[in-house]
Amino acid sequence: LLKAELLHARIKQHHLTAQQRLISSVDLLGRIGTVMPHLTNWLMNRRSVRHIMGRMFDLTDQRPLPEFAHRRFDRWFAKHKSLTTPHRGRVILWDDTFVRYHEPHIGHAAVAVLEAAGFEVALVSKRKCCGRPAFSMGHLDLSEELGRHNLALLAGGDENEPVLFLEPSCYSMFAEDYRELKLPGAEAIAARCYLFEDFMENLLRQEPDALKFDREPGRIAIHLHCHAKALTDGKSAVRLASHIPNRAVKLIEAGCCGMAGSFGMLESKYELSLKIAEPLLQAIQQQPYGTTVVVSGASCRHQVQHLATVRAKHMAEILAEALA
């Protein structure tokens, strides 16, 4: 918050930079990029295009950019029909920018798990970006505008329906930052918000048979997002994975991945981002062969997959793959 307020004061004095405008608009970029994803991905994979963007916005051309999905998650969900009968009530799944436009498979997995557990799943109609990218740039006017819109949407529904988040940085906006921005209704909505991992672990702790899993042996190593460490009982992810039979589960004891949202995308911060990531990368490389690496945050997964050449998975994918 201190950093955001300092950057906000600079914006008020000197106006928004091109970089701040770009990063504050990642949800808009997702909408544009998924119109013609094949063409967009081809362009973004060209080093010359990344070099031009780097010169314009101080972005490193050494970092691969997230690919745009061929089918947006919200459009898949609009045509999705559950094969189970809900008996536990309804939950709201917050489809964040990365799940919606870049990693819809994570949303598919979360829906499969929630429906298998007996929940009816709904998305937030007409939701906007949570405002985290703008907040990180100090663009607090935009963060407040987005926050007011999203809080009003959730306030208009059933006040007892849980709101679940797959991305910890989005969760932090609802659980903490909207309240620090003193947005009306933030306190009441924050009480309904849960990380997907925390919500599922609480369910399985109370009802161990709520989900049926296979008994295939395996190893799971979990890296926690910094917001999950700061705002929740981070070890709930370890307990959740431990509900799957015959899995050896461990927490990777390392600090920040070094990506920190857009931080690791900046040319001026790229080398520092790599240095910060070294303990995590060493810990991943020391895992036994065949270990599945679980990484909860989108930027963390981006860092790991770029530097460790492993496909990091979200916990929702692990649970969905293990369903009997």
Side-chain angles (χ1 to χ4, degrees):
L1 180 61
L2 290 172
K3 175 190 172 186
E5 289 179 339
L6 174 61
L7 292 174
H8 180 64
R10 289 179 178 172
I11 289 171
K12 289 296 186 184
Q13 185 174 3
H14 302 293
H15 306 295
L16 284 164
T17 65
Q19 180 193 96
Q20 289 168 330
R21 290 184 187 278
L22 179 75
I23 293 174
S24 296
S25 305
V26 292
D27 197 80
L28 173 61
L29 296 176
R31 294 201 300 274
I32 296 171
T34 49
V35 172
M36 300 180 68
H38 292 283
L39 175 60
T40 309
N41 290 332
W42 180 78
L43 288 171
M44 293 298 99
N45 284 327
R46 295 184 67 83
R47 190 70 176 264
S48 58
V49 174
R50 297 209 304 271
H51 179 71
I52 293 170
M53 290 184 63
R55 295 294 297 271
M56 292 175 63
F57 302 108
D58 184 35
L59 301 178
T60 177
D61 60 3
Q62 300 182 67
R63 179 85 68 183
L65 296 171
E67 291 208 341
F68 294 98
H70 295 164
R71 189 182 188 191
R72 289 168 39 162
F73 171 69
D74 57 328
R75 291 180 178 167
W76 169 87
F77 187 84
K79 296 186 176 181
H80 168 71
K81 297 189 182 301
S82 176
L83 300 177
T84 61
T85 302
H87 59 275
R88 295 183 190 276
R90 194 169 86 144
V91 296
I92 305 297
L93 182 64
W94 182 264
D95 60 317
D96 58 83
T97 295
F98 270 84
V99 165
R100 176 173 286 195
Y101 303 116
H102 301 281
E103 300 178 303
H105 58 277
I106 293 176
H108 302 164
V111 171
V113 171
L114 290 165
E115 289 182 346
F119 292 102
E120 176 190 353
V121 182
L123 304 187
V124 181
S125 178
K126 300 181 180 179
R127 76 100 175 104
K128 294 184 178 180
C129 174
C130 70
R132 165 57 56 187
F135 188 90
S136 70
M137 290 288 102
H139 195 355
L140 298 187
D141 292 341
L142 179 58
S143 292
E144 290 185 11
E145 176 188 331
L146 296 170
R148 290 176 188 276
H149 174 86
N150 292 326
L151 290 171
L153 292 179
L154 290 172
D158 187 336
E159 63 182 20
N160 295 316
E161 288 177 348
V163 185
L164 310 185
F165 294 82
L166 298 166
E167 171 56 47
S169 60
C170 294
Y171 167 76
S172 74
M173 288 300 292
F174 283 82
E176 181 175 69
D177 299 313
Y178 285 171
R179 292 191 289 179
E180 290 183 331
L181 291 170
K182 296 181 171 55
L183 299 184
E187 198 76 35
I189 299 300
R192 295 167 50 193
C193 294
Y194 303 88
L195 274 179
F196 173 83
E197 293 90 336
D198 294 339
F199 182 82
M200 294 307 303
E201 196 281 323
N202 183 60
L203 172 67
L204 292 178
R205 181 163 24 92
Q206 297 182 41
E207 300 182 52
D209 295 328
L211 289 172
K212 303 295 183 183
F213 296 113
D214 65 36
R215 306 189 67 84
E216 295 293 326
R219 295 176 178 272
I220 299 172
I222 301 172
H223 168 70
L224 294 178
H225 190 284
C226 291
H227 283 137
K229 292 177 184 177
L231 298 177
T232 72
D233 174 12
K235 292 186 178 179
S236 66
V238 176
R239 295 194 297 269
L240 174 58
S242 298
H243 283 285
I244 307 174
N246 294 334
R247 267 57 163 194
V249 183
K250 68 173 296 183
L251 182 66
I252 297 176
E253 298 292 347
C256 178
C257 73
M259 192 67 171
S262 61
F263 178 89
M265 298 295 295
L266 307 182
E267 175 64 32
S268 57
K269 306 297 183 183
Y270 180 68
E271 293 300 328
L272 177 57
S273 173
L274 301 188
K275 192 70 176 176
I276 295 170
E278 286 179 2
L280 172 61
L281 298 177
Q282 290 173 3
I284 289 174
Q285 291 162 357
Q286 292 168 1
Q287 300 305 312
Y289 177 77
T291 299
T292 299
V293 178
V294 175
V295 181
S296 60
S299 61
C300 303
R301 284 192 299 278
H302 197 115
Q303 180 84 304
V304 169
Q305 289 170 185
H306 175 209
L307 302 178
T309 62
V310 301
R311 185 186 179 280
K313 295 186 177 183
H314 192 281
M315 183 62 72
E317 296 179 87
I318 301 301
L319 296 179
E321 291 168 1
L323 290 174

